[in-house]
Amino acid sequence: MVRKSDKEKTADPAAREMLAYAAQEGLETVWDRLERQTPQCRIGEQGICCRICLMGPCRIRPDGKSPQLGVCGATGDTIVARNLIRMVAAGTASHSEQGRNVALLLRDVALGRNREYGITDPDKLRRVAHRLGIKSRRRNLKQLAGQVAEKALDCFSNHQETPLPFLEAYMPDQTRRQFQKAAETLEWEGEALLPRNIDREVVDILHRTHYGTDHEPKNLLAQGVRCALADGWGGSLIATELQDVLFGTPTVQRTRANLGVLDEAAVNLVVHGHEPILSEKIIEAAKSPEMQDLARARGASGVNVVGMCCTVNEALMRQGVEMAGNHLHQELAIMTGAVEALVVDVQCIFPVMADLARCFHTRFITTSEAARFPGSLHIPLDVERAGDIGRRIVRTAIDAFQERDRGKVFIPEQTATAQVGYSVEEIERHLGGRLSPLTEALQSGQIRGIAGLVGCNNPKVPQDFLHIHLTRELLRRNVLVVGTGCWAIGAAKAGLMDPDLVNGVPEGLKQFCRSHDIPPVLHMGSCVDCSRMLLLFSSLAEESGGPLGKMPLVGAAPEWATEKALTIGLYLAASGLPVHLWPLPPVAGSPLVGHWLTEGMAEGFGGYFLVEEDPVAAADRLVEAMDRRRNGSRGVLNPGIV
Ligand code: SF4
Ligand code: MSK
């Protein structure tokens, strides 16, 4: 067992304070559990174990000694490729369920079955309809919403041919042609790499990875790409676009980040997970005079709704809700003793939260039938009574306030100011209604490139360390940084989204940001909003008349932890971007798969993965890739994922 110091666990001073407090109080954290799991299984780390059938489980020896085949004869290459694309299927499914739920809600609003929600952004609805080829003239908003929702729902199961309707409507022609060329290198024909429908691509992976089916690693990986594209140009894109229609397209908001946003005097309600459908109603209820009065009657100063992970990324982009933290802050927030309710929807929620909440007065409230936890208080979201549910949840938090043990309250003071809310529309608005100033700045070299950063925290990496240092190193090299997810919260906590940061960046970037009144680090939203980055990048490529793979654009998922982050990385790399990852994905057991993800992808798609632990070296490699693209060559730089 390797013991890490608090400094090795997190780069966040508020988290360090909480870790010291947790140790003093005897409270366990994710870092303690990781220590007890260390050293982790080397065979699992390398992706060479298989549990697909009951003749197994099988494992391949990493040292080349026997056994080198599973009981059925599967090789390490097949096993690694199968395991990897099963992760991609799970990532696609997770984002896409969010998209499906939003599409179903929009359909019900359009049909008048749901009166709890409405169309907050009619202009966005018209823009989406226009993209989808739906004529808006002489149609009222609800008719239009109904047709958009049906088109979105078609992407899930009805549409059986290539490509799915949202991809058809949104993907620029030259990006589409890029995939035809890539298909040839994989011996797939025409547009076969473009997804047919989202559900089908997930099912296809589960089918072809079933015992005794597809054993050709490259064929398996090609299906992984097709499924990841169903996420980027399907499920995630649908979630982003339709959430904007229902809840509003993000605009610039000022907010604050870190545990100091918890208010000792108030009822603190933390929303956590990914979906905005319920959190919008909770925020609405908490702001109501009725709930604020009730809180004051119970001795609190009011109700303070803050959030974690991507639920807060959604809420802050539209309402300026403050960020209590990212993935590894979830336990720490409860340990402050000042949280009356932690309300979760889906994904990235530790299963231990119910037990931890019981050590305090905190109500751990689950709301999704897809995400139940033993020991939680379950208040299911019924979208037809969402207002009532929101009020019930806020009332539950207010009731818990009286049970708060004042002696157990310990809130670190740290907060940082952040300016957030950069949808593609908002970026365009700052650039005078078009993206051409950004394209020109890239072409002239005023800005060296754009990096899209995504992803999680992972206790194997000091929390936020890579997020902060890779971002700083990229800025230092005159790169505009955009991003989403827990990276965005980590960057905000570290002050990297403070608009004053512009004063410290190189001249070209500084002048560009100042003349367009944007900061050099742009918060573009939640995990599903990586689709905003995909749209931004492909629009820039379209404007400049070349494929994405020739633009000085890169991606990175430092500190990634989830299957969703891998899927995002794969659709960005398949779209033509060099994508940095750390930690190493579970592919070290197959040099063939490692080679395909680097040189193989570079040859077929233009994009590829690079793996690097050191933020300075990662920034160097990403910037070198940008420069090479600017100079017309897009070869792989220092390939070698393994
Ligand atoms: Fe073993 Fe093959 Fe079954 Fe996998 S599919 S568990 S390698 S026998
Ligand atoms: S919440 S997927 S830990 S970014 Fe979207 Fe954070 Fe990663 Fe979950």
Side-chain angles (χ1 to χ4, degrees):
M1 188 163 87
V2 181
R3 284 224 166 270
K4 284 183 182 170
S5 69
D6 289 351
K7 214 169 167 183
E8 289 168 315
K9 290 177 183 168
T10 175
D12 179 330
R16 283 189 201 145
E17 265 191 62
M18 285 313 298
L19 284 176
Y21 180 71
Q24 177 195 309
E25 299 294 309
L27 296 165
E28 181 185 277
T29 67
V30 63
W31 288 277
D32 301 318
R33 293 188 293 275
L34 174 63
E35 267 173 19
R36 281 201 292 279
Q37 285 286 345
T38 307
Q40 288 177 307
C41 170
R42 285 206 55 223
I43 292 173
E45 268 175 358
Q46 298 188 41
I48 35 180
C49 49
C50 183
R51 288 187 295 107
I52 278 173
C53 87
L54 249 291
M55 296 192 290
C58 302
R59 79 252 179 269
I60 304 296
R61 290 259 315 235
D63 55 9
K65 294 189 182 147
S66 183
Q68 287 299 299
L69 295 175
V71 174
C72 66
T75 62
D77 295 330
T78 297
I79 290 173
V80 168
R82 277 197 305 218
N83 288 340
L84 194 76
I85 70 168
R86 280 193 167 211
M87 292 179 79
V88 173
T92 301
S94 304
H95 286 149
S96 301
E97 277 305 282
Q98 184 170 340
R100 189 199 310 264
N101 287 338
V102 184
L104 287 169
L105 179 57
L106 184 66
R107 184 195 61 185
D108 287 355
V109 168
L111 293 174
R113 286 186 201 153
N114 188 306
R115 297 184 191 286
E116 295 281 310
Y117 296 89
I119 294 157
T120 304
D121 192 341
D123 288 341
K124 177 88 188 214
L125 174 62
R126 287 190 200 95
R127 285 200 300 278
V128 175
H130 179 72
R131 285 250 199 189
L132 293 168
I134 301 167
K135 299 220 171 7
S136 52
R137 260 197 304 156
R138 275 188 270 132
R139 284 203 175 86
N140 68 34
L141 277 184
K142 288 207 166 164
Q143 287 171 329
L144 206 55
Q147 286 196 296
V148 166
E150 287 305 335
K151 268 268 202 247
L153 291 168
D154 274 353
C155 293
F156 285 91
S157 50
N158 284 348
H159 194 84
Q160 299 298 329
E161 311 300 326
T162 297
L164 56 83
F166 260 67
L167 184 148
E168 178 99 74
Y170 280 77
M171 186 185 270
D173 287 345
Q174 62 204 15
T175 307
R176 200 162 153 171
R177 283 195 293 275
Q178 213 173 293
F179 285 110
Q180 285 183 21
K181 275 174 66 189
E184 284 164 26
T185 65
L186 287 156
E187 294 168 28
W188 282 26
E189 281 180 9
E191 297 208 306
L193 265 181
L194 300 182
R196 298 154 292 184
N197 71 56
I198 300 160
D199 293 351
R200 183 165 184 185
E201 302 316 345
V202 173
V203 169
D204 183 309
I205 286 186
L206 292 180
H207 169 225
R208 73 176 62 217
T209 58
H210 180 273
Y211 162 65
T213 311
D214 195 353
H215 300 94
E216 165 55 60
K218 277 194 209 163
N219 207 45
L220 287 159
L221 293 164
Q223 175 55 23
V225 167
R226 179 156 64 176
C227 187
L229 294 176
D231 177 358
W233 295 97
S236 283
L237 180 61
I238 290 168
T240 296
E241 293 293 83
L242 304 196
Q243 281 170 186
D244 284 359
V245 170
L246 284 166
F247 308 121
T249 304
T251 52
V252 167
Q253 311 277 339
R254 283 286 189 125
T255 184
R256 294 183 308 152
N258 219 334
L259 290 167
V261 304
L262 294 168
D263 180 350
E264 188 164 1
V267 171
N268 290 302
L269 189 157
V270 181
V271 289
H272 172 24
H274 283 78
E275 297 183 343
I277 295 179
L278 178 59
S279 57
E280 286 284 320
K281 289 292 168 192
I282 290 174
I283 296 159
E284 191 181 295
K287 282 182 181 164
S288 69
E290 179 201 348
M291 291 298 157
Q292 293 291 342
D293 287 349
L294 185 61
R296 281 191 283 271
R298 301 280 163 82
S301 61
V303 183
N304 180 36
V305 178
V306 297
M308 327 212 74
C309 288
C310 286
T311 304
V312 81
N313 279 325
E314 296 284 354
L316 69 90
M317 295 267 285
R318 300 190 173 93
Q319 319 232 28
V321 167
E322 296 184 326
M323 299 167 247
N326 45 4
H327 186 214
L328 295 185
H329 263 42
Q330 54 191 292
E331 290 169 302
L332 308 182
I334 294 212
M335 288 175 190
T336 63
V339 173
E340 274 58 51
L342 177 71
V343 186
V344 301
D345 47 75
V346 291
Q347 301 163 22
C348 305
I349 304 148
F350 292 162
V352 295
M353 299 309 283
D355 289 342
L356 180 63
R358 266 197 301 276
C359 301
F360 296 84
H361 68 302
T362 309
R363 306 296 191 263
F364 175 56
I365 303 175
T366 50
T367 60
S368 168
E369 55 83 26
R372 305 273 315 247
F373 292 65
S376 75
L377 170 60
H378 191 60
I379 305 182
L381 167 63
D382 172 353
V383 283
E384 283 165 31
R385 294 189 309 109
D388 282 347
I389 308 280
R391 281 187 289 279
R392 186 177 157 202
I393 287 173
V394 174
R395 215 173 287 121
T396 304
I398 293 171
D399 287 344
F401 182 75
Q402 286 169 318
E403 292 171 33
R404 189 193 282 183
D405 179 345
R406 305 296 183 265
K408 272 191 179 176
V409 173
F410 178 78
I411 308 176
E413 282 177 4
Q414 285 89 349
T415 61
T417 306
Q419 189 161 297
V420 302
Y422 291 94
S423 54
V424 177
E425 289 88 339
E426 187 67 357
I427 295 172
E428 274 176 344
R429 196 176 69 74
H430 282 262
L431 301 182
R434 59 215 199 294
L435 290 175
S436 44
L438 190 48
T439 318
E440 286 155 18
L442 288 172
Q443 281 167 346
S444 69
Q446 184 185 16
I447 296 175
R448 199 164 184 181
I450 308 177
L453 271 70
V454 304
C456 320
N457 294 137
N458 184 327
K460 294 177 181 176
V461 180
Q463 182 193 16
D464 296 344
F465 177 83
L466 275 176
H467 290 328
I468 296 168
H469 291 282
L470 181 57
T471 305
R472 284 202 183 125
E473 293 300 328
L474 289 165
L475 290 172
R476 213 168 269 156
R477 290 161 178 74
N478 205 29
V479 173
L480 179 69
V481 182
V482 301
T484 62
C486 288
W487 164 81
I489 300 171
K493 284 188 295 168
L496 294 169
M497 286 180 181
D498 188 322
D500 289 343
L501 186 84
V502 73
N503 300 322
V505 301
E507 211 46 38
L509 184 57
K510 187 193 295 176
Q511 290 310 327
F512 180 82
C513 291
R514 281 198 177 145
S515 50
H516 298 288
D517 187 26
I518 58 166
V521 178
L522 299 177
H523 187 307
M524 291 193 79
S526 64
C527 295
V528 295
D529 290 335
C530 289
S531 62
R532 296 191 202 277
M533 299 198 309
L534 196 56
L535 279 187
L536 174 69
F537 290 171
S538 48
S539 304
L540 291 171
E542 200 181 17
E543 276 231 0
S544 68
L548 252 172
K550 290 202 168 154
M551 298 288 291
L553 306 169
V554 299
E559 308 187 30
W560 74 283
T562 70
E563 293 151 320
K564 292 178 291 172
L566 178 71
T567 310
I568 294 165
L570 187 55
Y571 72 64
L572 290 178
S575 301
L577 269 59
V579 177
H580 162 253
L581 289 180
W582 188 260
L584 178 69
V587 300
S590 169
L592 186 148
V593 172
H595 183 267
W596 191 84
L597 292 172
T598 51
E599 286 177 83
M601 282 198 80
E603 196 188 322
F605 296 86
Y608 54 90
F609 286 102
L610 58 99
V611 177
E612 179 58 69
E613 185 174 13
D614 175 49
V616 177
D620 280 340
R621 289 175 69 179
L622 290 171
V623 164
E624 206 182 333
M626 288 174 178
D627 291 349
R628 277 218 186 189
R629 275 150 194 258
R630 182 183 297 292
N631 299 333
S633 153
R634 64 175 200 198
V636 193
L637 302 157
N638 311 320
I641 199 163
V642 291

